[in-house]
Amino acid sequence: MTSRPLIVAALASAALLVSPTAARAAPDAGTLPMPPPPAATAKAPASTDAGTPGPTDAGTAAGTPAPAKAAVAEAPPPPPQKVPPETFDNALKAYFDGKPRDAAGPLYAWLQATPRTDDNYAWGQYFLAKSLIDLGLTHAGATYLARIARERSNPNVLPRALDALKGLTDRPHDEVMIDEQVFGALDLGFLPDETGAYAHYQQGLVDLRVGNERWANTHFSKLPETSAEASRAKFALLVTRLKQVKDPPEEMVKDFLGLSEDEKLTREARNEAALAVARLRYEKKDFTGALEAYGKVKLPELDPGRASLYLEEAWTRYKLGDLRASLGILTTLDAPSFRDEFMPDKYLLRALIFRDLCHYLPAKRAAKELTRRYADSLESVRNREDLSQDARLRRAANAHGGTQRAAKFVSLLDLEGERLGRYAGSFGDRLFGHLTRLYDLSHAEAVRVYDARLQEAVRLEADTLLRAAEQVRLMEYEVGLKLYERVKKGAQVVAAEEEELLSPAQVAFKFDNEYWNDELKSYRVRIESRCIEETP
């Protein structure tokens, strides 16, 4: 295990992995507008022969462009329909009566017919956004809230729009549109304290991404010490500094430990800090301290837990020499909840434990299990195929980090795109067509971002698989030598270790291949060592 899993996991929780904004094509600045054609002085004679082109058709027949036909093909959109003045008030009444479906269509029609300078224009955008969010179309609602934040035409509406946008960041969302283009570019002088703190935090993250820690500290220093953003900013700084040092100092470990007990952070963020402590202590070979830090990870009641957490704890117990407890945790990882997890190291660790206990045939079988289970993925890597099409590597890449966030956002757009079809009749053709185009464009961009992240993520997972496969091949060779090793005269079996007795508060049951979530951390394996001790 290296510190890389810490960096990847911490970057994911600190929301540092944000895809770059897509470049937009600029118009050709060197192209001059075409002058209007000269007015005709005489009416062109009509062609009398149906097969002979007249003057009007000559240019088209010769292959020259036909401006008239291009104009017809690129017809301007129809003008907005006129709406009665009371439409806005009626739509607001419908919204406050708990009928967002009845409010959305009229609000959109009113916005289309109203100039942007109208005093109520921003309010119309806000209530249209709220109506769409209430109907489960969160991305469409976020788009209108982001417009309010960028236009800033009404200072009374802006704080409400930013608060609503901040609430949407807890779920999958367009990170570029909300985190970068809105909160990452806000003028911070006029914002309320809570929204201003979140904006300072996001702008500090933008500075960290470009490597400017000094500017990031300028933003982070303005965060109230009692705010959750201050703790999240400290976590982001620690992760960034961790990437820059080879031997993290003990002070950094203590800082992560303090964050693991910070109640202002979410449970997920506290767990990430505790995992950071455990991984750093593991790298320093403080295995007892690492095991203690793993114990600080708090999961919901009856939650099966994380496969990566169990595997890391199994490695830590192996390093402490507690082979039977380590093998018990590997038994936990065979539970149905974890069978689809990408854990090639699990088979390597099981082979190592059996080898250390001199159970050479089980060790060889455990080593072969890795190449058998991941045979298709290994074949794809060797044949230089598109790894993103490998189901196992793709699932592993989607399990964490920026790829996971991008995949969740694509899934959200798919779900909301299907949900939009329910409102085709009540929204009207104009709003329904507008939202359909919005979701189509957003989905195409989200898929592009996801594919870019997926390509890099599957490459990293393939590297992990190849390293584990190489190690198990060495393990098979070593075990094969041990199988045919001659036992010297006078050698005897190593004395069996004394089993730890159960306390009066403990009860042991024989495993019958049933897995219960409240027992997953309690499995222990009774296995005797077959190693031979040579006598002098």
Side-chain angles (χ1 to χ4, degrees):
M1 285 171 40
T2 64
S3 59
R4 182 167 185 83
L6 162 65
I7 296 172
V8 174
L11 286 176
S13 63
L16 293 178
L17 300 177
V18 178
S19 60
T21 307
R24 294 188 178 130
D28 187 0
T31 303
L32 297 177
M34 292 293 294
T41 57
K43 186 176 180 181
S47 174
T48 56
D49 187 356
T52 305
T56 306
D57 300 331
T60 305
T64 57
K69 291 187 178 182
V72 172
E74 299 178 2
Q81 297 176 347
K82 293 184 179 181
V83 297
E86 63 272 11
T87 300
F88 180 71
D89 295 332
N90 294 336
L92 287 187
K93 183 178 183 304
Y95 173 78
F96 286 110
D97 287 344
K99 301 175 182 177
R101 179 184 294 197
D102 296 338
L107 281 172
Y108 180 77
W110 182 84
L111 287 171
Q112 292 296 102
T114 304
R116 295 178 180 272
T117 55
D118 191 281
D119 292 340
N120 288 328
Y121 191 86
W123 284 115
Q125 290 179 309
Y126 174 75
F127 285 108
L128 175 57
K130 294 289 289 182
S131 299
L132 294 174
I133 293 172
D134 291 346
L135 293 172
L137 304 176
T138 59
H139 176 66
T143 302
Y144 278 98
L145 294 174
R147 288 183 186 177
I148 297 172
R150 289 194 297 267
E151 294 170 357
R152 308 180 191 181
S153 60
N154 191 329
N156 296 322
V157 185
L158 182 58
R160 293 172 178 263
L162 292 176
D163 285 342
L165 270 180
K166 181 175 178 294
L168 294 178
T169 57
D170 294 333
R171 63 185 75 184
H173 62 280
D174 190 330
E175 297 172 348
V176 174
M177 181 182 70
I178 298 178
D179 296 340
E180 289 189 9
Q181 295 179 352
V182 174
F183 289 105
L186 276 176
D187 181 4
L188 304 173
F190 63 93
L191 296 177
D193 292 341
E194 185 177 353
T195 306
Y198 185 78
H200 274 298
Y201 169 70
Q202 287 294 341
Q203 294 186 16
L205 289 184
V206 172
D207 292 330
L208 282 180
R209 282 196 295 273
V210 298
N212 199 327
E213 185 176 329
R214 183 172 63 86
W215 286 11
N217 281 324
T218 301
H219 287 291
F220 292 158
S221 64
K222 297 177 182 179
L223 298 175
E225 287 295 328
T226 58
S227 66
E229 283 77 14
S231 299
R232 295 171 63 188
K234 187 175 181 180
F235 183 68
L237 279 172
L238 288 174
V239 172
T240 303
R241 291 170 183 169
L242 184 62
K243 295 164 56 180
Q244 303 168 356
V245 296
K246 292 184 178 179
D247 185 17
E250 186 62 28
E251 187 66 27
M252 183 176 289
V253 179
K254 292 180 180 178
D255 289 339
F256 275 117
L257 184 61
L259 289 175
S260 69
E261 301 171 353
D262 191 341
E263 293 296 330
K264 297 189 299 296
L265 293 175
T266 62
R267 178 191 296 180
E268 184 66 21
R270 293 197 301 271
N271 287 343
E272 290 295 336
L275 286 173
V277 174
R279 290 160 179 164
L280 289 174
R281 286 177 175 174
Y282 185 95
E283 293 298 320
K284 293 177 176 292
K285 301 188 184 305
D286 179 12
F287 303 119
T288 303
L291 197 60
E292 179 184 350
Y294 283 122
K296 292 182 178 292
V297 176
K298 304 299 182 184
L299 299 173
E301 189 176 0
L302 298 182
D303 189 282
R306 302 182 186 178
S308 60
L309 171 62
Y310 288 131
L311 184 57
E312 291 175 22
E313 185 177 345
W315 275 105
T316 305
R317 290 189 178 275
Y318 172 75
K319 294 293 185 180
L320 286 171
D322 193 356
L323 305 184
R324 292 159 182 81
S326 181
L327 198 56
I329 296 176
L330 294 180
T331 303
T332 296
L333 292 176
D334 290 333
S337 301
F338 308 122
R339 284 177 183 167
D340 290 333
E341 296 285 344
F342 185 77
M343 296 178 293
D345 285 353
K346 177 180 74 172
Y347 306 99
L348 173 63
L349 178 57
R350 180 176 281 129
L352 286 171
I353 293 173
F354 283 131
R355 183 206 63 180
D356 292 352
L357 294 172
C358 299
H359 289 251
Y360 296 123
L361 286 177
K364 197 173 183 66
R365 284 196 295 267
K368 284 186 174 294
E369 181 65 16
L370 184 145
T371 54
R372 185 196 65 79
R373 182 174 179 83
Y374 296 104
D376 294 341
S377 299
L378 289 169
E379 188 68 18
S380 298
V381 174
R382 295 189 185 100
N383 294 337
R384 301 179 180 273
E385 298 176 3
D386 184 3
L387 299 182
S388 63
Q389 301 303 314
D390 185 89
R392 187 171 284 109
L393 292 176
R394 188 186 187 98
R395 185 166 55 244
N398 288 336
H400 53 79
T403 310
Q404 182 187 50
R405 296 198 305 275
K408 287 183 176 180
F409 183 52
V410 172
S411 298
L412 177 112
L413 292 178
D414 287 334
L415 176 63
E416 294 189 0
E418 295 177 2
R419 187 178 293 156
L420 176 62
R422 305 176 188 173
Y423 309 118
S426 55
F427 278 179
D429 293 340
R430 286 175 175 258
L431 177 56
F432 181 75
H434 166 68
L435 293 181
T436 300
R437 291 190 297 273
L438 171 66
Y439 274 96
D440 288 344
L441 291 173
S442 298
H443 187 271
E445 174 62 13
V447 170
R448 185 195 67 81
V449 172
Y450 168 70
D451 288 340
R453 295 184 184 181
L454 180 65
Q455 291 295 333
E456 177 63 19
V458 294
R459 187 186 66 81
L460 295 176
E461 300 297 343
D463 288 344
T464 301
L465 177 59
L466 287 176
R467 285 194 299 269
E470 181 65 25
Q471 288 177 302
V472 297
R473 277 196 293 269
L474 293 174
M475 171 71 60
E476 286 186 74
Y477 175 75
E478 181 182 349
V479 168
L481 293 178
K482 289 288 186 180
L483 279 172
Y484 299 101
E485 189 177 58
R486 295 174 64 90
V487 179
K488 295 183 180 180
K489 186 177 181 180
Q492 54 185 341
V493 179
V494 175
E497 296 182 8
E498 294 185 3
E499 289 192 28
E500 184 179 353
L501 297 178
L502 297 177
S503 68
Q506 292 178 310
V507 179
F509 298 94
K510 185 177 180 180
F511 181 62
D512 56 358
N513 294 320
E514 287 189 358
Y515 293 90
W516 298 86
N517 286 352
D518 58 341
E519 299 175 354
L520 290 178
K521 289 187 175 183
S522 308
Y523 293 122
R524 295 295 182 269
V525 175
R526 299 180 62 182
I527 183 172
E528 296 181 357
S529 174
R530 295 179 181 174
C531 295
I532 302 298
E533 183 178 29
E534 298 181 0
T535 56

